[in-house]
Amino acid sequence: MTSNDMRAARNAMVDSQVRTDDVTDPILTAAMRAVPRETFVPPALASVAYMGEQLEVAPGRYLLDPRSFAKLTQLSGLKAGERVLDVGGATGYSAAVFAALGANVTSLESDSALAEAAKSKAGAGIEVVTGPLAAGHAKNGPYDVIFLNGAVPARPDALLEQLAPGGRLVGIVTDRGVGKAHIFLKSAGGHSS
């Protein structure tokens, strides 16, 4: 596919998968139109980078489907200048979108090969670090937003402790095999969901 074909596919993804599902933030949709998702997947998957499904970028590791990614990002209320911890950043697509939104991003990845792939694509405003996902990366915190690229079975307390006052953690929490999007808010009184 040519770069024009990819650009058309990216625009179609935003128009048919993202905007039709109540993702109305024009800054977010512009960022998703600008970031070439096909460069963040294995070459064999480039032609399907804009399908409405999660894509396996390494054994057992996936990029979220565009609709879920956009809805969670919009739910986070991310604003330019905020500090983001991107947990399970894989090849760096989500970090690239957050940076396009003007965020300062720490992308945390446990798989060293994926972290190296993300580092090779990281632009300004992105630092890629390697470590256990559940532990977060307190060194660069506190964070205004923590974004979970994947589902967790319970409230991620260790990550919640790395939020700044007023910070938000977004992700999918599973309950008996069913995933639901959650936003956790940090206030002086603790955390709410």
Side-chain angles (χ1 to χ4, degrees), residues 17-42:
Q17 298 171 44
V18 174
R19 291 182 56 232
T20 59
D21 207 14
D22 277 341
V23 176
T24 57
D25 181 342
I27 298 169
L28 173 56
T29 56
M32 290 184 74
R33 288 181 199 279
V35 176
R37 193 168 193 250
E38 72 274 10
T39 64
F40 295 91
V41 300

Side-chain angles (χ1 to χ4, degrees), residues 95-164:
V97 173
F98 301 149
L101 292 170
N104 297 306
V105 185
T106 298
S107 181
L108 174 63
E109 180 48 56
S110 59
D111 181 303
S112 59
L114 286 176
E116 286 305 313
K119 284 178 186 177
S120 72
K121 297 173 182 93
I126 301 171
E127 179 184 356
V128 178
V129 296
T130 305
L133 303 181
H137 192 72
K139 178 182 173 187
N140 288 359
Y143 301 98
D144 301 297
V145 172
I146 297 177
F147 188 93
L148 304 180
N149 277 290
V152 294
R155 185 175 110 154
D157 289 327
L159 295 174
L160 289 171
E161 293 306 315
Q162 295 176 33
L163 283 173

